[in-house]
């Protein structure tokens, strides 16, 4: 399809949002797998930016990032949470969080960190999550764990808080 200059200008004038996607992995005890990036303080989930300009979907982005960051290529489960996160000095972020499932001991031993981006990984219990994942990310993970526990539908969030 050929785009007209007017259509291209219209598209260029539209608001922008960023898209990120991650996977929520747990162990048999329910602890959450976190990774420690080397490019910023704190912890994160395996995941990252959705390469939407290349046609990548959020689910594909979460799987690709998981493979790149921790060396596990896994079919991801259902969408647990979608979070609209405002940011200072950047467009809003739409964050997708998928169920990565429960990792076995063998899965954990198979983790291979992407050394260009990550320093380490650890398993963290629910009660410690917000200490490791401050702000919207910590709240998003707690909401996703609640979805798993309740067997409810995807959590719609804004800045980590459920939308009424």
């Amino acid at each position: 399809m050929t785009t007209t200059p007017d259509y291209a200008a219209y598209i260029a004038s539209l608001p922008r949002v960023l898209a990120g996607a991650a996977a929520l992995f747990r162990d048999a005890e329910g602890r959450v797998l976190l990774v420690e990036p080397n490019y910023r303080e704190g912890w994160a989930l395996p995941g990252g930016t959705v390469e939407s300009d290349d046609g990548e979907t959020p689910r594909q982005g979460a799987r690709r990032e998981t493979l790149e960051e921790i060396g596990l290529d896994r079919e991801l489960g259902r969408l647990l949470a979608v979070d609209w996160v405002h940011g200072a000095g950047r467009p809003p972020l739409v964050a997708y969080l998928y169920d990565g499932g429960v990792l076995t001991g063998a899965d954990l031993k198979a983790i291979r960190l992407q050394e260009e981006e990550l320093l380490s990984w650890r398993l963290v219990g629910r009660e410690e999550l917000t200490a490791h994942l401050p702000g919207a990310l910590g709240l998003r993970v707690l909401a996703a764990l609640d979805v798993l526990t309740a067997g409810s539908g995807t959590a719609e969030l804004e800045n980590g808080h459920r939308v009424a």
Side-chain angles (χ1 to χ4, degrees):
M1 176 175 127
T2 305
T3 59
T4 65
D6 289 341
Y7 183 74
Y10 166 71
I11 294 298
S13 74
L14 293 175
R16 301 283 179 232
V17 297
L18 305 174
L24 180 67
F25 293 103
R26 290 135 7 251
D27 70 356
E29 297 175 34
R31 296 176 297 178
V32 175
L33 175 71
L34 302 183
V35 293
E36 182 183 20
N38 62 16
Y39 52 87
R40 66 170 174 80
E41 291 291 319
W43 293 82
L45 295 174
T49 302
V50 177
E51 303 294 339
S52 57
D53 286 350
D54 297 334
E56 186 174 67
T57 67
R59 180 177 292 277
Q60 291 167 338
R63 185 172 183 172
R64 175 187 52 77
E65 286 283 349
T66 296
L67 175 59
E68 289 176 5
E69 291 187 351
I70 62 173
L72 299 180
D73 186 17
R74 300 177 64 102
E75 187 76 31
L76 298 177
R78 68 190 184 105
L79 179 63
L80 299 174
V82 177
D83 196 0
W84 181 274
V85 184
H86 296 281
R90 66 158 171 77
L93 168 70
V94 180
Y96 298 84
L97 183 51
Y98 294 92
D99 184 5
V102 176
L103 299 176
T104 66
D107 293 327
L108 295 170
K109 287 179 184 170
I111 290 175
R112 299 292 174 261
L113 292 178
Q114 180 184 33
E115 293 179 3
E116 298 81 23
E117 290 187 17
L118 300 177
L119 298 170
S120 65
W121 65 271
R122 69 171 22 165
L123 294 165
V124 175
R126 180 186 178 99
E127 64 283 351
E128 299 176 46
L129 283 170
T130 56
H132 288 83
L133 304 171
L137 178 55
L139 297 173
R140 184 179 321 131
V141 172
L142 292 176
L145 290 172
D146 290 344
V147 165
L148 286 167
T149 300
S152 58
T154 301
E156 179 185 355
L157 309 170
E158 290 177 6
N159 299 308
H161 298 279
R162 282 190 177 268
V163 175

